[in-house]
Amino acid sequence: MIRNTYLAFAASVALLVTVCGCGSSSSKGQMNTGGAPPASVVATGGYIVSVFAGATQAGKSKNPDSIIQVGSDIFVGYGDAVNPDGTVPGSNPPVQGQTEIIEYDLTGKPLKTFEVIGHNDGLLAYDSHTIWSLSNEDANPVLTVIDLSAGTQTEYTPSTPLLHGGGLDDMALIGGVVYVSASNPNVSAPTPQFPNGIVSGAPAVISIALNANGTTFDWQPVLNGNAQATDIVSAAAVTLNLTDPDSEATDPSGNLVLDSQGDSELVFISNPGTANQAAKLLSLTLNSQPEQVDDTRFVPKGYAPYMLVTDTSSNTIYRVDANFKAGDAYSNGGANILKLNPTTGAMTAVVSGLGSTHGMLFVTQ
């Protein structure tokens, strides 16, 4: 591998942009002005890393995590050191904290800041002017719907208790339905639903729908943590044991992709929520060892100008330029950005030396 340096490769980025058909007069295809990454960041040949936005651009916000694109703007959710259950560290009795979502333009310039209750850990571009923000992935989840056009925010909570006993994490929109990962399963005692207290029997994925009362959302189980699946590598029938449902994505075939982070697994769910639903399991490895990842993203059709990755520990959002190929899969795990082989689960580090990577996005404009 070679150490990435911002200045040495600036000309290469310009060439890449020209070859891919992005006019040089447009800021959408140009490298931003965030500067060079630390010397510890190492990229393989063909991958070029720069800083999209750092701590100074974000102001007081800390710990960038989820990242989405709405039109020509980028939205990043910040953890701001609030606990995963939404409480302020050290507060006694517990006090619910607030975290921030920052809107950036495509050069990394902050435009606007939104405050949401609790610890934001999931963002969804619901439509061209609406963002859904999920807070509190460990317990007591809150959904904040932000209408960018009207400038309003509305908070929703579950209309009935969640069976898995934890919080809610990430979201994916497929066919007009919002699917959510049921994170931090914590069925610690026997209940009528789970008489043996088996966590894996609880839902790992649910669907949610807002109620007209403007305060609650209904939910339905979609995939249980102990559902039947087919192992992608061996083609064998297996029983899932999902202990850490985390991030979600949609693959090029329209399947819902669930990351069970602590299990080093991806679950591909076709026709979610229907009678024809089916699940396939892919175990993830790096150098033949199980590898935990956070976000997994697939290069969209057409030209993807670049990738953005949030680094929670360094309070930095990185930009990665490369000759990305439509349909290819990438994940981030710990200090690495990884290219994924979706038929074997084997991963290869294309960028290393980062802090703690979390959110990932392919910018499409």
Side-chain angles (χ1 to χ4, degrees):
M1 292 197 299
I2 58 174
R3 183 169 67 86
N4 175 80
T5 57
Y6 178 84
L7 294 176
F9 288 105
S12 299
V13 175
L15 176 61
L16 176 64
V17 170
T18 302
V19 169
C20 292
C22 295
S24 59
S25 62
S26 172
S27 63
K28 295 179 181 179
Q30 295 176 354
M31 181 173 282
N32 60 359
T33 58
S40 60
V41 176
V42 177
T44 59
Y47 294 88
I48 305 161
V49 184
S50 61
V51 174
F52 176 78
T56 55
Q57 288 123 311
K60 70 176 184 178
S61 299
K62 305 295 181 186
N63 314 126
D65 195 329
S66 297
I67 182 169
I68 60 172
Q69 180 177 357
V70 179
S72 59
D73 290 338
I74 306 299
F75 293 79
V76 178
Y78 285 77
D80 292 332
V82 173
N83 291 326
D85 64 357
T87 58
V88 175
S91 60
N92 189 17
V95 175
Q96 192 78 181
Q98 287 188 320
T99 50
E100 294 181 324
I101 299 169
I102 296 182
E103 179 181 3
Y104 296 90
D105 67 14
L106 291 177
T107 69
K109 177 184 177 181
L111 300 175
K112 190 173 182 179
T113 298
F114 304 84
E115 289 192 351
V116 296
I117 189 171
H119 179 272
N120 169 258
D121 197 45
L123 289 177
L124 172 70
Y126 185 78
D127 57 31
S128 62
H129 64 89
T130 311
I131 292 174
W132 286 22
S133 164
L134 263 179
S135 297
N136 305 346
E137 66 270 32
D138 276 7
N140 307 311
V142 178
L143 171 67
T144 302
V145 175
I146 303 173
D147 188 320
L148 301 174
S149 297
T152 59
Q153 296 184 199
T154 308
E155 295 169 0
Y156 296 81
T157 55
S159 58
T160 57
L162 299 170
L163 294 184
H164 72 292
L168 298 175
D169 195 312
D170 202 9
M171 298 168 283
L173 179 64
I174 301 176
V177 179
V178 176
Y179 298 95
V180 183
S181 53
S183 53
N184 192 36
N186 186 30
V187 182
S188 58
T191 67
Q193 294 88 1
F194 305 104
N196 299 317
I198 300 175
V199 174
S200 62
V205 177
I206 64 174
S207 63
I208 65 174
L210 304 182
N211 285 321
N213 61 19
T215 61
T216 63
F217 60 83
D218 288 335
W219 63 272
Q220 295 290 332
V222 173
L223 180 81
N224 281 353
N226 63 350
Q228 296 300 299
T230 301
D231 187 283
I232 289 178
V233 175
S234 69
V238 296
T239 299
L240 299 176
N241 183 25
L242 305 178
T243 66
D244 189 23
D246 194 82
S247 298
E248 292 186 333
T250 306
D251 74 4
S253 298
N255 299 314
L256 176 63
V257 183
L258 172 70
D259 167 36
S260 192
Q261 186 173 14
D263 302 315
S264 301
E265 295 173 344
L266 294 180
V267 181
F268 294 75
I269 309 165
S270 60
N271 304 305
T274 72
N276 296 321
Q277 176 175 300
K280 293 184 178 182
L281 176 68
L282 183 66
S283 298
L284 306 177
T285 60
L286 178 63
N287 300 323
S288 301
Q289 298 298 314
E291 178 69 6
Q292 296 184 13
V293 304
D294 200 310
D295 276 7
T296 294
R297 295 290 181 263
F298 300 84
V299 181
K301 292 180 180 179
Y303 170 57
Y306 49 86
M307 173 200 294
L308 295 178
V309 175
T310 61
D311 188 337
T312 297
S313 63
S314 70
N315 299 317
T316 303
I317 307 166
Y318 289 102
R319 167 174 168 162
V320 181
D321 288 86
N323 187 20
F324 292 112
K325 180 181 177 182
D328 280 357
Y330 289 82
S331 302
N332 50 22
N336 300 316
I337 299 173
L338 305 154
K339 189 173 184 181
L340 167 66
N341 184 327
T343 61
T344 67
M347 313 188 85
T348 304
V350 297
V351 179
S352 58
L354 301 168
S356 179
T357 57
H358 279 72
M360 175 181 286
L361 168 73
F362 281 103
V363 176
T364 56
Q365 296 185 35

